[in-house]
Amino acid sequence: MLILRHNTLPSDELFVIECKMLKVADASQPLDGLIDLVLLDMPRTEIYGYMLGLFERLDLCKAIGITSSELLDFLIDVDRGYLPNAYHSFYHAADVTIVLFAMLSDYDAKQYLTSVDMASLLIAALCHDIGHPGKNNNFQVNIQTDLAKRHNNKSVLECYSCTLTMDLLTKHQLLQHIEEASANTGTPTTEAEARISIIKMILATDMIFHYELQENLAGLLEIISDRECTETEKEEGANRECGHGTAGHCKGPQTWDKPRIKDIFYNRNFTNPLLYFESKLHKSISGPIGGSEHPSTPGTITESPATIHGSTNHTGSVNLLQTPDSANDGNCLSPCKLLSKLEREVLCQIMLHAADISNALRPWSICKTWSNLVCVEFFGQGDAEKAFGLPISPNMDRGQTTQATISLKFGDYIVNPYFEIFAAVFPKSDRLLQLLAENRKEWARLESNESAANAGHTAEEGGIEGHLPPKILPDHPILDPAGRRVSTSAGMIVIPSPDEMERRTVGFGKAQRTYWGVRSASHSEVPRQNGPHSYILEEKKRRKSEEPALYLRKLQLNASGRRVSPAEATERKAKRHNSTVPSSASSRQDNKPL
């Protein structure tokens, strides 16, 4: 029976919640089609029951020492912390949580994580956009809201979501028993460590870190492939040929000369968003972390969650930051499989970001519905920027861009490269790439049907080009391509220019994938030595005609939606060119960029 301490719900609603929870939690019954699940039509009671059921199905409440009633109490307050935005609402948070559960269960990601990791991941998913005002970081910084000033213009809304999350964890004392509970599972974790992990996950949802996370994902693919091969050799003998195709060569992490992943929050500069929370965890946490201040500047939070109070008995000094070299620590592997603590932490950040940008590769009806809601917020921000006399952000001018154009660029340049690597790590998720290709055909069809006036003004022409504003970037080196700025549902990102990209191949065998990475990636730019699944980098000196173009130009789609290799695309173009004798006009057309 569910009993609430901080909130009240009618008994009939509690009954509905509990029935749904028990149904979803029943491991003897299959829980299929999570990627196809539509939450927007569900009443709150069903969503609450679904969330509780997911935690119970993986036994995550027990892992952190709470009851389902305590989780429900927390969940209700999380829901109240979300504002009634078109897209960044509690429905989005619950949807991201559903996608993550599918990744854990259906795509086998849980084999690399502990129960505490998974519990922290789902809590971070539920809270990752709490308090979001429906207008992005760039808007907050441009009009210098209270939030932007408080957080030094860095990851403004992510920091605010972290603050509200920590306040709720304190109010509900949700992690006060985690050390004892986690010790029983063989992975002792303090409350401070769990809070740090959740904070990092939420901060990493800032699109500023997209390419860092993509490079870390490629690095994890190498780590997992290398260690799985090593384990196979241990079990079956070093003389047996492993999946790499060579007998007896795999030596584990020590064969690599550089760290293959890095903590994206390693610097100690005062503008690092993580440092805002470090002092909060050096002493006992009592009362709301963020204080009672709530911004009232137009465009920020106009209605704030209720004041949150509570305390926890955890004390101690905490260092939230890792050195870059610590990312290569292969010791202290998890009892579940293969990964160290830092590697599991990075994997959680990668997965939360993947779920946050997953709308493009959901079934078409779901993809289109979420895209509709994204555009409501985008064009609303564009209208507000116009009212403030600000330049309108890319993709947000309702008169100069279209929904189809926004969705095509988002899928081609951001989602596809990221999930190509993700599917190499988790092969069962390959269906997501198939859905992305199917959705692309639908968006292309819609784009072709739009009026010539709208189709002639894309976000690339009407938006602001160049680097992201330096004031919103972290001060440590970060992948900041000199391409065009593009707004996405999760924030603003720069699409790299062709000369900043290079073709990389990661993995081996069925897990081998090719993607276009940013050349300035500090932990990927040096070719690996003696590694069968090392990065294969294209020569940096090449003819202009061979320079890598944007992702879609090289990884084209044929009429059926199948991905065409760059070599095949070049061969087809050559055949088309040689089949006719072009006039001067057609020659100009042939030379036009794709």
Side-chain angles (χ1 to χ4, degrees), residues 17-27 29-35 37 39 42 45-64 66-68 71-72 75 90-106 110 115 118-123 125-126 355 362:
I17 293 170
E18 187 165 9
C19 287
K20 174 60 75 172
M21 176 190 73
L22 294 175
K23 183 178 180 180
V24 174
D26 186 357
Q29 300 298 318
L31 193 60
D32 299 325
L34 289 176
I35 292 297
L37 187 64
L39 292 180
M42 282 190 184
T45 50
E46 283 201 43
I47 294 178
Y48 291 164
Y50 222 104
M51 296 299 105
L52 297 183
L54 296 182
F55 272 78
E56 288 296 336
R57 195 175 179 96
L58 291 178
D59 215 13
L60 301 184
C61 287
K62 180 180 178 181
I64 59 176
I66 62 172
T67 65
S68 295
L71 180 60
L72 175 59
L75 186 61
F90 177 71
Y91 288 100
H92 166 64
D95 189 67
V96 168
T97 307
I98 290 285
V99 173
L100 277 172
F101 188 89
M103 291 176 178
L104 291 170
S105 295
D106 298 346
K110 67 181 180 182
S115 295
M118 291 186 281
S120 299
L121 176 59
L122 295 190
I123 289 172
L126 288 168
R362 305 285 294 282

Side-chain angles (χ1 to χ4, degrees), residues 149-168:
K149 294 174 183 176
R150 186 188 310 172
H151 297 293
N152 297 310
N153 301 323
K154 312 298 181 184
S155 301
V156 176
L157 296 179
E158 291 76 18
C159 281
Y160 186 57
S161 294
C162 286
T163 296
L164 296 181
T165 302
M166 293 301 106
D167 288 349
L168 285 174

Side-chain angles (χ1 to χ4, degrees), residues 342-353:
L342 177 60
E343 290 160 356
R344 299 196 315 270
E345 182 179 273
V346 168
L347 176 57
C348 286
Q349 294 167 14
I350 288 167
M351 289 176 61
L352 179 53
H353 177 58

Side-chain angles (χ1 to χ4, degrees), residues 409-427:
K409 288 197 302 182
F410 181 54
D412 290 338
Y413 303 145
I414 298 168
V415 179
N416 200 323
Y418 196 89
F419 274 89
E420 282 286 351
I421 312 172
F422 188 88
V425 179
F426 306 111

